[in-house]
């Protein structure tokens, strides 16, 4: 007997599958260690790669000599920039600014300059040590201030092309190191200024944060000359597929990507990361090659943008909000990655879901000589909700209003405009925030040194709504759901199975949801932006409905009924109330033998307009949370006592998974607010590139109580009225924590809230009293 | 980064371990719980061809408590200390200090000997032992043993006062002296403590007669300052505040600390001031209450 007992899954009929907390269908193979991740795979003949990375943050390469490395035992190929002269070696979905390996210049410490493929990892590592490189060093701009200074070095000269998924209108001309700007104006600022009675004006600093998924970036690439095959842990296989096809001048269908499981993503594996380098190295080696980042390498492959923000919020003395003026600078590192989109999202989140006379937002995406920043769970929204919501609380304090009452008076209501041209508000924010406050014991007396805070915001969710799915029912009524959503721990496969089970009344045990193989799995734009359940889930629902229609068609013929609206499904049978046939019988009847299958295809595309960012989002993800904190004024140590959050999901397909998403997001938000901070030296060196020095939250940092309230108004565009979740609590928690400190007189303008920062602030406040 | 290949030698006795170490010289290191050593190897900071496993040497694995004091073998794990009823009965504050180290995984294999030999600046045990006048038994190549005080054993970060072919055999401390009190506290923001303070105090007739204040995990090595210890002698409940303030000021003025990722000099001095007062207060109030009974 095996030592591991696997709990039998509930095999009750599918009807009612939606709304039940089914066990994860990928749980047993993960718990028993059978799930294979990219780092576990062995492809015959596979070589191992070691990337040789830049030791300096900015410079021109004057000499690169890999001959000694090439001569080392076991080495098959060493990739360098000059191997890429037959292709356009630049990639980047937003801005095509990044070479596969450095060509003549390096822009951050850790930028790949060369890569060795050898028969063993030890040989690859030994050979990489033999590479000789010399530079003409250039001035380094390792932070926002340095990159925005008048005499700053220009990190990218010349114009760069828009990437294939720029998606943000015309590429702007670059000014200095600013690679993208986003502006948003409403109302008349100067007219509004005559109404100002309360003015809150501060500068804020948000740190660079690493996503810290347990698994780092990993990819195996094979280049056969006419085809590229990748086994990768990418969140967006189809976007990577088209980007690789463009880079290597191949038809999209000649790039085949296989994605099984991800050991977490949180945005770190969104868009293209190590895949071009792996493919180029495999092309040169003419063998499959595996590239796996170490943690220190992963940290310079993707991170969250650090930010500087200046915000001015004004209000009448009654607490009625008047105007908001925001300037945002986001540090995107040496390459744009997803920076432009993060910048736009931050700009959108800046005003918050409030009624204003006028707003003015200027958001800038800035190059620096540090590792590139990209997507990170709840990007942009987390940054700006913290700033905006702490100013709302300051206004409330000036106006003598309770923070909850302040929000009741100023929040947008369902149907009001959030962003001109975009989707109007599709949620009940006041109802939601009241629930969160109640869960925190809002009106109850506070113990000494304990404060409570709440925060509310919206996140433009769904990305571009393009997803397809195929549902196949075999002759024994087993169902496979082919959908391109990447399982990265969030439980998407279970949710997709539940949707199909619900439509087809098939038990969960008969449904399989395999990983993605772009050769067989239909297109899905991406896994991110809280979109999978809503968008890809809708495609699954539609595909299942097509299968159902086929069942009705054959059963109708057998029953001699032409009006199929009289038919319904029940426990794997079609019935009209009098006669019934099992699915297997129907399929046997249809094909004349016990074989064949029913195949349904479902598609989701923009329902109105182009589905562009401007016209979006698919839905507004509600970001609402509350926190109670306790501060030790002697040390500055802040303890999170309890949190609450609301998952306004329309319909919870799997309530337990919704709760786990909110809990994970809460803990990650606590990390952002309290501990996490990538520290770069002025010469661009990341000083805390391992868990020894980079502090992430642990189980010991869990609040005593974390309450997730699920709100089901069936008002989402997804299947069964659902809308996505998973990011909202993360965007909301830092603001709630900061507001809880503000509640006891400690206003903080810089994250994370390290004990030293809090202690110094307490000293400062005492001195000015 | 892969750990480069190495050869493992299992030592049978202290003498065997030391002779293996002498044979391989700088190419070898003792290997006990490996919680520090393997980290260092994985980071590529050392390149060792031989590891000498000392976990199976009986002499290094024993715990004894008798009239001469407490003796704990260098290879005894933290977990074994935590689960030892005799230690718990005699030195509960020592056991509670040990059970607050790291996490269960580290404590299951990590050892007192490994901690003191590695001499990481953030050491709870080294600070504690300083406050209780702990000692170490060191074994040498010539078969001789010497006993050295904890005070002075760490000469700098990662610098124990041992020669290459010497090893820690056991750690010793007096049994809980009648009437004496030890209080240990730490503040931990990352994996390792950011400050550890341990205070020993004894009293007679409601007056402090002796105090030893050890401050660790914040400077380069755990330290004690004579003037701090002396400033607490003579304290009584009535004038305790003044004594504590003076001790704390002397400690925070004297401590050698640097700006780094764990904090600024200003904050670190403040922590020393605050924790010295807090821990010394706890120790002295307890001892004075006991001595009044
Ligand atoms: C995650 C983590 C958290 C930690 N938190 C704390 C904490 O909160 N407080 C604290 O005080 N410490 C902490 N530590 C340090 C911990 O106490 C030490 O890692 C542990 O005690 C080392 O023992 P070991 O047996 O594993 O040593 P090893 O790694 O086996 O050896 C360490 C070094 O000592 C040498 N050595 C070992 N034994 C002997 C001997 N008998 N004689 C001579 N040399 C020897 C080895 O050659 C090596 O150089 C933490 C460590 C980790 C990894």
């Amino acid at each position: 007997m095996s030592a591991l007992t696997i709990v039998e899954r509930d095999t009750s009929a599918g009807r009612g599958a939606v709304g039940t907390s089914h066990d994860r269908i990928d749980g047993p193979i993960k718990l028993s260690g059978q799930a294979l991740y990219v780092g576990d795979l062995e492809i015959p003949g596979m070589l191992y790669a070691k990337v040789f990375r830049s030791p300096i943050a900015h410079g021109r390469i004057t000499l690169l000599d890999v001959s000694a490395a090439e001569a080392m035992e076991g080495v098959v190929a060493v990739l360098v920039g000059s191997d890429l002269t037959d292709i356009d070696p630049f990639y980047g979905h937003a801005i095509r600014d990044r070479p596969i390996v450095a060509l003549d210049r390096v822009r951050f410490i850790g930028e790949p300059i060369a890569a060795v493929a050898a028969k063993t990892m030890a040989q690859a590592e030994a050979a990489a040590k033999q590479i000789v490189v010399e530079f003409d060093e250039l001035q380094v701009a390792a932070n926002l201030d340095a990159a925005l200074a008048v005499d700053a070095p220009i990190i990218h000269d010349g114009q760069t092309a828009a990437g294939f998924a720029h998606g943000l209108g015309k590429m702007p001309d670059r000014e200095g190191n600013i690679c993208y700007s986003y502006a948003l104006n409403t109302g008349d600022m100067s007219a509004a200024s005559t109404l100002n009675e309360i003015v809150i004006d501060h500068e804020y600093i948000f740190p660079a944060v690493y996503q810290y998924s347990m698994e780092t970036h990993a990819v195996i690439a094979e280049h056969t000359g006419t085809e590229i095959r990748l086994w990768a842990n990418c969140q967006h296989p189809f976007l990577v597929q088209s980007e690789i096809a463009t880079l290597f001048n191949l038809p999209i269908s000649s790039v085949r990507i296989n994605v099984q499981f991800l050991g977490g993503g949180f945005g770190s594996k969104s868009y293209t990361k190590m895949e071009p380098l792996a493919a180029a190295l495999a092309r040169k080696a003419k063998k499959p090659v595996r590239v796996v980042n170490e943690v220190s390498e992963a940290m310079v492959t993707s991170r969250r943008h650090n930010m500087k923000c200046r915000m001015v919020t004004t209000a009448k003395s009654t607490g009625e909000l008047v105007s908001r003026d925001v300037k945002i600078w986001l540090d995107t590192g040496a390459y744009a990655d997803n920076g432009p989109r993060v910048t736009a999202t931050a700009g959108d989140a800046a005003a918050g879901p409030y009624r204003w006379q006028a707003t003015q937002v200027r958001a800038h995406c800035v190059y620096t000589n540090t590792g590139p920043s990209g997507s990170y769970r709840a990007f942009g929204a987390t940054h700006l909700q913290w700033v905006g919501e702490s100013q709302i609380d300051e206004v409330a304090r000036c106006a003598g209003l309770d923070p909850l009452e302040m929000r009741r008076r100023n929040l947008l209501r369902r149907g009001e405009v959030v962003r001109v041209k975009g989707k109007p508000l599709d949620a009940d924010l006041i109802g939601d925030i009241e629930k969160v406050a109640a869960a925190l014991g809002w009106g109850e007396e506070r113990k000494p040194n304990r404060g409570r805070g709440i925060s509310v915001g919206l996140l433009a969710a769904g990305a571009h709504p393009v997803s397809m799915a195929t549902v196949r029912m075999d002759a024994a009524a087993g169902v496979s759901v082919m959908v391109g959503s990447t399982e990265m721990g969030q439980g998407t496969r279970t949710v997709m199975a539940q949707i199909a089970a619900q439509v087809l009344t098939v038990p969960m045990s008969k449904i399989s949801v395999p990983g993605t193989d772009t050769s067989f799995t239909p297109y899905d734009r991406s896994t991110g932006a809280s979109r999978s359940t809503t968008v890809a889930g809708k495609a699954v629902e539609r595909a299942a409905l097509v299968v159902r229609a086929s069942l009705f068609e054959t059963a109708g013929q057998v029953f001699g009924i032409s009006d199929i609206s009289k038919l319904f499904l029940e426990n794997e049978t079609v019935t009209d109330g009098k006669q019934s046939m099992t699915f297997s019988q129907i399929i046997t009847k249809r094909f004349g033998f016990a074989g064949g299958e029913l195949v349904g295809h479902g598609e989701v595309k923009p329902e109105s307009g182009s589905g562009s960012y401007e016209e979006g989002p698919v839905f507004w993800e509600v970001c609402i949370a509350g926190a109670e904190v306790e501060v030790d004024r002697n040390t500055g140590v802040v303890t999170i006592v309890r949190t609450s959050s609301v998952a306004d999901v329309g319909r919870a397909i799997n309530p337990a998974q919704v709760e786990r998403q909110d809990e994970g997001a809460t803990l990650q938000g606590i990390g952002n607010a309290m501990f996490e901070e990538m520290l770069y030296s002025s010469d661009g060196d990341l000083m805390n590139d391992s868990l020894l020095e980079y502090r992430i939250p642990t189980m010991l940092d869990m609040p005593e109580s974390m309450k997730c309230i699920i709100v089901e108004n069936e008002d989402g565009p997804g299947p069964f009225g659902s809308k996505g979740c998973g990011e909202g609590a993360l965007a909301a928690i830092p603001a709630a924590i900061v507001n809880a400190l503000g509640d006891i007189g400690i206003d903080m303008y810089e994250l994370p809230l390290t004990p030293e920062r809090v202690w110094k602030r307490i000293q400062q406040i005492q001195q000015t009293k | 980064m892969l750990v480069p290949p190495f050869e493992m030698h299992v030592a049978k006795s202290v003498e065997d371990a030391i002779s293996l170490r002498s044979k391989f010289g700088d190419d070898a290191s003792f290997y006990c719980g490996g919680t520090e050593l393997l980290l260092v190897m994985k980071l590529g900071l050392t390149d060792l061809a031989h590891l000498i496993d000392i976990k199976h040497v009986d002499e290094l694995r024993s715990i004894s408590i008798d009239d001469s004091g407490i003796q704990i073998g260098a290879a005894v794990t933290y977990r074994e200390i935590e689960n030892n009823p005799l230690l718990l009965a005699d030195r509960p504050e020592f056991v509670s200090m040990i059970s607050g180290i790291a996490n269960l995984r580290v404590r299951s294999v990590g050892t007192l000997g490994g901690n003191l030999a590695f001499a990481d600046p953030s050491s709870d045990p080294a600070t504690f032992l300083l406050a209780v006048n702990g000692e170490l038994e060191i074994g040498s190549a010539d078969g001789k043993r010497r006993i050295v005080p904890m005070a002075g054993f760490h000469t700098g970060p990662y610098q124990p006062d041992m020669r290459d072919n010497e090893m820690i055999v056991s750690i010793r401390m007096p049994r809980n002296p009648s009437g004496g009190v030890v209080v240990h506290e730490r503040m931990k923001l990352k994996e390792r403590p950011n400050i550890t303070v341990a205070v020993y105090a004894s009293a007679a007739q409601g007056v402090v007669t002796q105090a030893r204040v050890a401050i660790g995990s914040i400077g380069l090595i755990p330290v004690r300052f004579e003037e701090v210890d002396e400033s607490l002698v003579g304290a009584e409940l009535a004038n305790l505040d003044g004594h504590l303030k003076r001790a704390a000021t002397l400690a925070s003025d004297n401590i050698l600390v640097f700006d780094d990722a764990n904090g600024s000099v200003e904050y670190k001095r403040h922590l020393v001031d605050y924790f010295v007062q807090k821990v010394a207060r706890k120790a002295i109030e307890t001892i004075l209450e006991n001595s009044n009974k």
Side-chain angles (χ1 to χ4, degrees), chain A residues 615-697:
Chain A
E615 293 163 6
V618 176
F619 64 96
W620 289 105
E621 183 168 355
V622 170
C623 312
I624 295 186
E628 178 168 327
V629 307
E630 178 166 326
V631 66
D632 179 341
R633 290 181 188 267
N634 295 304
T635 57
V637 171
V638 175
T639 310
I640 315 295
V641 184
R642 79 184 86 214
T643 61
S644 58
S645 60
V646 73
D648 187 334
V649 293
R651 178 85 195 274
I653 309 278
N654 185 318
Q657 286 192 183
V658 171
E659 284 167 6
R660 297 299 88 74
Q661 278 300 304
D662 257 30
E663 285 163 5
T666 296
L667 208 51
Q668 205 168 4
I670 288 174
N672 276 233
M674 308 296 299
F675 316 118
E676 298 188 53
E677 181 174 27
M678 295 169 81
L679 298 168
Y680 272 99
S681 69
S682 59
D683 49 7
D685 199 8
L686 176 59
M687 294 179 297
N688 52 349
D689 63 355
S690 84
L691 276 185
L692 287 177
E693 295 295 339
Y694 185 85
R695 167 80 154 87
I696 57 169

Side-chain angles (χ1 to χ4, degrees), chain B residues 29-30 32-37 78 102 111 115 117 124-125 168 188 192:
Chain B
S29 188
F30 296 123
C32 202
T35 56
E36 298 286 17
L37 189 62
Y78 292 135
T111 64
N115 181 303
D124 286 314
I168 303 176
K188 217 171 5 174
R192 315 273 167 131

Side-chain angles (χ1 to χ4, degrees), chain B residues 8-35:
Chain B
M8 182 80 91
H9 308 268
V10 179
K12 291 175 200 69
S13 64
V14 169
E15 288 62 39
D16 186 26
I18 290 175
S19 81
L20 282 164
R21 181 76 172 82
S22 309
K23 183 170 148 199
F24 297 118
D26 281 348
D27 252 3
S29 188
F30 296 123
Y31 163 72
C32 202
T35 56

